[in-house]
């Protein structure tokens, strides 16, 4: 099962949600792969993977596709093992940004699907983190995935942007990946006391969007887990947000 977490807006929780869902999935015993397609490498860093010049990354995997990589390697060669049992990462590095144009001009958007299909034989769950753009990498991810999740940060502009986002994704679905399904919208940094979030959430419901019942609270522990480079299920198993992540994964798995 391949799931992509996508929203073209930055800072909505893509890296947080993809990394923590992957971590919770690994904790449940699924051999899980986290694919980081953002050149910033936030989820790579969060999962504790250090990149040095010898580390093979997802950018190297794409370089191999366009013939820039000397020794041919199987897809598993680009996968890095984390310190957490069952959790593996196909890490990002900053050169993803420099090769994007070349990949785009050579129509390599379908290659990620082939690679992840091959890796599906080894990994029971694949979570894909995407950049904050509707660019080559997010399109490749949406073509490669079975399901997509949309993090929503209860911001006025996000509510306006979500329709445009879904239009973009539906176009990819229609043209390239008929089987892609919207798993649901994840309400992140939810504040039950504030009025705006419930108004915005009501609007999403009126539009008929599938919202996950589980909402992720805003918590400093999320930021702490980023700086500890340890996803919440491993860092704070009994914290409120960890329990929300577990409940969210239950819902994701049931859909
Ligand atoms: N539920 C949350 N509570 C507190 N901080 C959060 C929460 N979700 C995300 N953050 C913080 O917001 C910032 C953006 O989150 P991130 O997952 O990197 O978003 P994106 O990948 O969409 O850009 C990060 O600093 C992260 O620690
Ligand atoms: Mg991110």
């Amino acid at each position: 099962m391949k799931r992509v977490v996508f929203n073209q807006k930055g800072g909505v929780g893509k890296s947080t949600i993809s990394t923590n869902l992957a971590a919770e999935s690994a904790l449940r015993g699924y051999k899980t792969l986290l694919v980081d397609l953002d050149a910033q490498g936030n989820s790579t860093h969060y999962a504790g993977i250090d990149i040095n010049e010898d580390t093979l990354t997802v950018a190297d995997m794409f370089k191999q596709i366009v013939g820039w990589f000397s020794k041919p390697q199987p897809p598993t060669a680009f996968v890095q093992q984390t310190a957490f049992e069952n959790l593996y990462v196909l890490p990002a590095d900053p050169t993803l940004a420099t090769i994007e144009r070349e990949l785009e001009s050579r129509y390599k958007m379908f290659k990620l699907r082939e690679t992840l299909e091959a890796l599906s034989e080894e990994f029971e769950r694949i979570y894909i983190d995407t950049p904050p753009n509707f660019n080559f990498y997010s399109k490749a991810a949406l073509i490669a995935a079975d399901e997509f999740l949309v993090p929503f940060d209860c911001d006025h502009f996000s509510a306006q942007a979500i329709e445009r986002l879904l239009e973009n994704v539906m176009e990819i679905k229609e043209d390239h990946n008929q089987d892609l399904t919207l798993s649901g919208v994840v309400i992140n940094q939810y504040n039950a006391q504030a009025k705006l979030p419930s108004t915005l959430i009501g609007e999403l419901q009126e539009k008929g969007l599938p919202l996950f019942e589980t909402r992720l609270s805003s918590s400093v522990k999320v930021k702490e887990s980023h700086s500890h480079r340890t996803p919440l299920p491993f860092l704070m198993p009994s914290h409120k947000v960890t329990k929300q992540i577990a409940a969210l994964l239950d819902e994701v798995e049931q859909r």
Side-chain angles (χ1 to χ4, degrees), residues 60-249:
D60 294 317
M61 191 205 82
F62 280 113
K63 285 173 199 166
Q64 170 162 294
I65 286 167
V66 285
W68 291 1
F69 204 73
S70 43
K71 297 166 277 171
Q73 302 282 352
T76 47
F78 304 93
V79 172
Q80 307 299 329
Q81 189 169 3
T82 71
F84 313 106
E85 198 179 354
N86 291 324
L87 183 61
Y88 296 77
V89 177
L90 190 49
D93 78 64
T95 66
L96 271 176
T98 54
I99 59 172
E100 185 183 349
R101 193 174 289 179
E102 178 80 12
L103 289 165
E104 184 129 50
S105 68
R106 291 173 61 181
Y107 306 103
K108 300 300 184 190
M109 224 154 66
F110 300 92
K111 290 292 180 180
L112 182 69
R113 169 152 65 188
E114 285 171 30
T115 306
L116 297 189
E117 283 287 320
L119 287 169
S120 288
E121 284 174 23
E122 182 163 342
F123 295 96
E124 298 169 278
R125 297 292 182 274
I126 299 180
Y127 287 88
I128 313 171
D129 185 21
T130 51
N133 298 299
F134 192 58
N135 68 3
F136 172 86
Y137 298 111
S138 31
K139 288 176 197 167
L142 289 161
I143 291 171
D146 306 305
E147 295 178 357
F148 75 104
L149 288 81
V150 181
F152 178 73
D153 63 352
C154 303
D155 170 278
H156 177 68
F157 294 108
S158 303
Q160 290 184 326
I162 209 158
E163 249 167 310
R164 178 90 196 107
L165 181 158
L166 291 174
E167 272 169 31
N168 284 339
V169 176
M170 287 310 149
E171 203 174 323
I172 292 279
K173 175 182 159 93
E174 225 167 83
D175 294 349
H176 305 299
N177 186 7
Q178 303 276 339
D179 297 333
L180 179 67
T181 56
L182 169 58
S183 179
V185 176
V186 186
I187 312 293
N188 188 27
Q189 306 233 36
Y190 181 66
N191 176 356
Q193 265 77 55
K195 193 160 167 257
L196 180 65
S198 49
T199 311
L200 295 175
I201 290 166
E203 284 170 18
L204 297 184
Q205 280 164 334
E206 272 169 33
K207 284 177 190 152
L209 294 178
L211 307 188
F212 288 106
E213 240 169 78
T214 310
R215 296 168 184 178
L216 303 181
S217 308
S218 184
S219 165
V220 289
K221 298 295 177 198
V222 173
K223 289 189 202 298
E224 274 177 40
S225 76
H226 277 267
S227 53
H228 276 91
R229 304 182 68 185
T230 307
L232 283 160
F234 296 108
L235 187 67
M236 294 170 205
S238 52
H239 188 266
K240 178 175 83 173
V241 179
T242 310
K243 289 183 180 151
Q244 292 168 345
I245 288 159
L248 177 62
L249 186 62

Side-chain angles (χ1 to χ4, degrees), residues 26-42:
L27 202 61
R28 291 182 185 186
Y30 295 115
K31 194 168 180 189
T32 304
L33 177 66
L34 174 63
V35 181
D36 188 356
L37 289 179
D38 186 355
Q40 291 185 55
N42 291 345

